[in-house]
Amino acid sequence: MKLLEVKNLKKSFGKKEILKGISFNMDKSETIVVIGPSGTGKSTMLSCINMLTKPDSGEVLLEGEDLVKTKNIEKMRQKIGMVFQEFNLFNHLTVLDNVRIGPWKVKKISKDAATEIALKNLKKVGLEDRANAYPAELSGGQKQRVGIARALAMEPDLILFDEPTSALDPELVGEVLEVMKKLAQEGMTMLIVTHEMSFARDIADRIIFMENGYIVEEGTPDKILFHPEKDRTREFLAKFRRE
């Protein structure tokens, strides 16, 4: 069984059709990178996969259970981590509290056990020494690494990343990508929307190119980045060739 199966996903906002029938699947431990022009439905797709946005039609199967129809959405959603573009940390909470709040309050794990999980994951992203700091005291790169630790603390089956480096200064991008590379090597299943093409080349098992609410083309990094079949994929990638 595939870990994730997305079947004919459609979503409109008012009269504007954003997703026009998206279908793909993911194996456990696979890393898929989604690329494409801005405004093409990539973030909406992620939002529909973890049911932050309810799709108009289609299926999202996680380990065979359809998230669109499940009566158990809160429990199922715990299996999908999410790392946002704008960090979405609680500014009034310390780094430690931001990371342990999910296991403690949502999964109802004891506070001590949640603290242990949080510290383990802060260590994984290189921030165990900032556990008592507040988000306002951190750089953008550090905030995003806290966001990754927070997602990991829920011990999800899959993590969605919505342009995790686009809000960062260029010199801070590398530290976040390095953490994500390490997660891929450890076998974390990740679906990543990004414009970082060299990162996509290095980390992805598959790349999906999306435009205008459709999947135009998908395949290995070599196929999509260097031997794309579709003219539109070639045009889109031409501007990144200088990297």
Side-chain angles (χ1 to χ4, degrees):
M1 193 199 320
K2 300 288 183 186
L3 177 70
L4 177 72
E5 296 173 85
V6 176
K7 299 181 179 180
N8 203 26
L9 205 59
K10 295 185 178 179
K11 180 66 188 174
S12 297
F13 293 105
K15 290 185 176 164
K16 189 164 174 56
E17 211 179 355
I18 306 295
L19 301 178
K20 302 173 183 175
I22 296 287
S23 299
F24 69 95
N25 52 51
M26 288 186 81
D27 290 317
K28 192 168 169 43
S29 299
E30 190 173 21
T31 296
I32 294 182
V33 171
V34 184
I35 62 171
S38 296
T40 208
K42 303 184 299 294
S43 295
T44 301
M45 178 185 76
L46 293 188
S47 198
C48 286
I49 287 171
N50 70 358
M51 295 296 131
L52 288 175
T53 301
K54 190 153 175 142
D56 298 330
S57 62
E59 297 173 76
V60 178
L61 304 174
L62 186 69
E63 296 173 321
E65 185 164 351
D66 188 356
L67 302 189
V68 181
K69 293 182 178 152
T70 184
K71 302 276 189 286
N72 211 357
I73 188 59
E74 289 309 322
K75 192 158 193 315
M76 292 302 293
R77 201 185 269 141
Q78 289 175 29
K79 298 181 176 190
I80 303 178
M82 181 85 181
V83 176
F84 299 89
Q85 192 172 335
E86 297 290 347
F87 322 129
N88 284 22
L89 300 179
F90 296 111
N91 290 321
H92 65 291
L93 296 181
T94 64
V95 164
L96 177 61
D97 282 333
N98 265 285
V99 178
R100 73 179 165 190
I101 195 168
W104 178 25
K105 297 291 190 184
V106 180
K107 290 178 93 173
K108 308 298 184 196
I109 290 169
S110 76
K111 189 174 181 182
D112 285 350
T115 301
E116 204 173 304
I117 289 166
L119 289 171
K120 177 185 83 177
N121 285 297
L122 283 170
K123 185 172 186 181
K124 190 172 261 195
V125 301
L127 286 173
E128 68 272 36
D129 60 332
R130 303 309 308 272
N132 296 316
Y134 285 87
E137 301 170 76
L138 304 178
S139 70
Q142 289 171 325
K143 286 179 190 172
Q144 194 57 290
R145 284 189 281 150
V146 173
I148 293 172
R150 178 181 58 185
L152 289 170
M154 292 295 283
E155 298 177 333
D157 296 329
L158 164 69
I159 301 185
L160 311 176
F161 291 83
D162 189 9
E163 301 205 22
T165 59
S166 64
L168 301 180
D169 293 333
E171 68 268 22
L172 301 176
V173 168
E175 67 190 57
V176 173
L177 297 183
E178 207 47 53
V179 168
M180 292 168 68
K181 272 184 193 170
K182 201 164 104 189
L183 292 179
Q185 287 159 2
E186 290 170 2
M188 187 72 223
T189 312
M190 300 191 289
L191 181 61
I192 304 165
V193 171
T194 186
H195 290 292
E196 300 286 340
M197 293 300 158
S198 55
F199 170 71
R201 183 186 63 220
D202 293 344
I203 194 179
D205 295 304
R206 264 190 297 154
I207 293 179
I208 289 173
F209 173 58
M210 263 180 81
E211 186 176 49
N212 292 331
Y214 293 106
I215 290 176
V216 176
E217 193 167 0
E218 66 175 293
T220 63
D222 184 65
K223 176 184 179 290
I224 298 300
L225 298 178
F226 302 107
H227 308 100
E229 289 171 9
K230 309 283 189 191
D231 290 343
R232 188 60 197 100
T233 314
R234 278 194 286 275
E235 283 167 26
F236 175 75
L237 290 168
K239 63 183 174 182
F240 294 101
R241 283 288 173 249
R242 290 186 295 279
E243 280 192 10

